Structures are given as C-alpha cells and as structure tokens.
Amino acid sequence: MSLGQIIVVLSTAPIDRGLSNTLGNLATNLGLSLKPYDQLGSIAVGNTHAQRWQVSRELAPTEREAFRKLASTLSLDLAFLAPAFNPSRLRILAMDMDSTLINIECIDEIADFAGKKAEVAAITEATMRGEIANFSESLRRRVALLNGISELVLEAVYRERLRPNPGATELLGAANAAGLHTILVSGGFTFFTQRMQRDLGFTETHANTLEIQDGKLTGVVLGDIVDASGKAMHVKNACKALGCKKTATITIGDGANDLLMMDGSGLSIAYRAKPLVKEKADAAFDRVGLDATLALIA
C-alpha cells in the first residue's frame, strides 16, 4: 500500500478490538484500504488510550468528516496525521486560553458580576463561531460593557470560577519537562494569562491589557489588541527566535480567531471547538482531555 494518511483514534476508555473492522468497512465504502500503522495496537498515555491506522492516500474533507461521524457514534475522538509527521521535530506548544486551556470565557464571567453576561456572551459566541469577523471590534464592544466594574471582580473570577481544563496541568508539565517552548497566546486578558504562566509554567504569554483607573475598569483595552493576526504573529516570532519552521509547532484552540495561528503548524488541535475549527484542525478533542496531545506525540 502506498504511503497514506495516519488516523489516530483517541479514547478515555480502552479501545474495542472490533474497531479495526468497523473502520475498515468505512474505508472500503470510501474506496480506501486501511491497515494498522504499527504493531503496538492500542497504547495508553496518561489518561488516554490511542490506536493508529493508515489509509492508502490523503483523505478528502468529506472523507475526514465521514470518519469523524463514525467515531462520534462510538464516543471516540480522531486525529489525522501526515505520513511524515515526526514528533521529535516539535519545538513549540502554543495554545489559546479561554475555553481551551481554561473552562471559562473570562470576559463573560466578569460581565456576570455586572448583570451583563448574556449580552457579552452572545457577542463572544458569535465571534468564536466566525460570525463576527473583526475580533478587535468585537472585543472593544464587549469590554466597553465592563465600564465601572471593580477591579476586585478580576480576582474573584480567577479564584471562584476559573479552572484549568482536563489534562491541562499534565500537558504543560510534560511539555515543559520535554523542553518545549510553551506559549499562551490569548484574545483575553493579561490578568489571567500571567496567573496561568505562574501556575502552569508557560515560557511566555501574550494577551490584552484592561485599563483600570481608581480601582475600576474603564471599558477600554490598552495598546494593540491580540487578535487572530496577533496570535499568529507571536507564534511566528517564537519560531524565528528558536530558528525553526512553523511545522515544528503544536497549536491548540477552539474559536475562529485561532485558525490563523493553527494554520501551517505541525499539529493543530481543536479542543471542544466550534465546527469551523474542528473541520480544519488535524485533531478534534471533544471527549479526551488536553493531555491526549501526549498520545499523539509519543
């Protein structure tokens, strides 16, 4: 069989031995052949079980979707890797914060303290789905609604509502131990990214700064906004500083403003993401935790 795309099945539970036949039947219906990629069978890395197969050629988008639909009915996640994918060449892990690294959209929770969560969250959702193309305009509209809120609310959100998503601590610990350059790049706020850097050990972080005067938010963002282009630029700058290509990066995100950062990376992962992001990413994690990344680079 000619060299083709690698399909990786990811699960929080041991993988059923009959899965190979199920995938094989789908492959046959699509005019493909399928075989085990290696002799290891199913492997367990931390909390994730993984098994790899190889198909006879690169999959078309409709074929990828067919495999993902089948996996979804079996409560499994999938990744599609290039035959030449080489984890040993990876140098950088770059990821989004809100709803990716952590369980909340910080701006929505800040707004909740002012009784404006529904209004702000509606704009956030439309932006992450890609329905509002101008992220900077969207962020300014949402931040303007925070005018007059006490800065103490930021600490309350961090202490009472923010939690790392499943597998985040394990992923960052392993990435740092392996010597990867870890970047948290967010359209959110420095108040939270700086604390995530302290708690999880990111090498560098980039986010937006809220203006605060007399102990209250003014509804203004200071300086240039970290939008989709800004995220991609920070990843590009890290690659340049380390002397590597973007193919040496792992990128993880959930919203439309992460797509430019994810494009062209060696491994792009959509974590509990919007449909547009899952469609374009190499891997989609809807059930496994962030530490399932380690099963893909083992």
Side-chain angles (χ1 to χ4, degrees):
M1 181 170 65
S2 61
L3 208 60
Q5 197 152 31
I6 301 165
I7 299 176
V8 187
V9 172
L10 302 161
S11 175
T12 56
I15 296 172
D16 190 281
R17 292 183 179 181
L19 181 60
S20 185
N21 290 334
T22 304
L23 292 178
N25 290 337
L26 175 58
T28 299
N29 291 338
L30 295 172
L32 299 160
S33 56
L34 177 144
K35 69 175 184 180
Y37 180 73
D38 52 38
Q39 302 303 314
L40 295 178
S42 178
I43 63 170
V45 179
N47 298 313
T48 305
H49 298 266
Q51 193 163 355
R52 300 184 291 182
W53 287 268
Q54 189 167 37
V55 290
S56 46
R57 56 172 167 76
E58 184 175 356
L59 298 173
T62 55
E63 293 170 334
R64 283 163 49 111
E65 182 60 21
F67 275 103
R68 282 212 169 117
K69 283 183 177 179
L70 174 61
S72 180
T73 65
L74 301 171
S75 298
L76 303 169
D77 287 335
L78 287 185
F80 302 100
L81 306 179
F85 177 69
N86 186 346
S88 67
R89 296 176 181 170
L90 296 170
R91 302 281 306 281
I92 295 170
L93 168 65
M95 61 191 306
D96 172 53
M97 180 176 70
D98 294 50
S99 297
T100 300
L101 177 73
I102 62 175
N103 63 320
I104 60 172
E105 293 284 336
C106 291
I107 192 168
D108 295 356
E109 300 308 315
I110 296 169
D112 192 32
F113 280 82
K116 297 180 179 179
K117 182 173 182 177
E119 188 176 356
V120 170
I123 301 174
T124 301
E125 273 292 305
T127 304
M128 294 303 101
R129 290 193 301 265
E131 296 168 6
I132 299 177
N134 190 323
F135 178 84
S136 296
E137 176 188 346
S138 164
L139 184 65
R140 289 192 176 97
R141 282 171 56 190
R142 286 176 286 160
V143 170
L145 294 169
L146 307 182
N147 182 32
I149 294 178
S150 169
E151 66 177 326
L152 298 178
V153 166
L154 302 179
E155 181 62 36
V157 169
Y158 171 74
R159 186 178 63 254
E160 299 173 15
R161 304 189 180 185
L162 186 154
R163 299 291 183 272
N165 271 326
T169 300
E170 292 85 350
L171 172 59
L172 265 294
N176 288 325
L180 293 181
H181 187 91
T182 52
I183 309 172
L184 183 59
V185 57
S186 172
F189 307 120
T190 53
F191 180 92
F192 301 103
T193 56
Q194 289 169 356
R195 282 158 179 75
M196 288 294 95
Q197 182 175 29
R198 178 196 67 196
D199 294 348
L200 297 179
F202 282 94
T203 310
E204 60 178 282
T205 65
H206 303 277
N208 301 299
T209 302
L210 291 168
E211 183 179 58
I212 298 173
Q213 292 182 358
D214 300 323
K216 294 183 178 181
L217 278 63
T218 66
V220 173
V221 180
L222 298 175
D224 294 334
I225 287 179
V226 179
D227 56 8
S229 296
K231 289 186 175 189
M233 178 194 69
H234 288 303
V235 174
K236 180 180 179 181
N237 289 343
C239 291
K240 184 176 180 180
L242 293 175
C244 65
K245 296 180 180 179
K246 195 173 183 181
T247 51
T249 66
I250 305 168
T251 52
I252 309 177
D254 74 300
N257 65 324
D258 296 316
L259 287 172
L260 195 57
M261 169 184 78
M262 296 165 72
D263 184 48
S265 60
L267 175 61
S268 59
I269 299 171
Y271 181 77
R272 300 183 184 180
K274 302 300 181 285
L276 177 65
V277 183
K278 289 196 283 188
E279 176 186 325
K280 295 183 179 296
D282 298 317
F285 293 177
D286 290 324
R287 301 161 187 84
V288 296
L290 286 165
D291 56 334
T293 304
L294 303 176
L296 296 178
I297 63 177

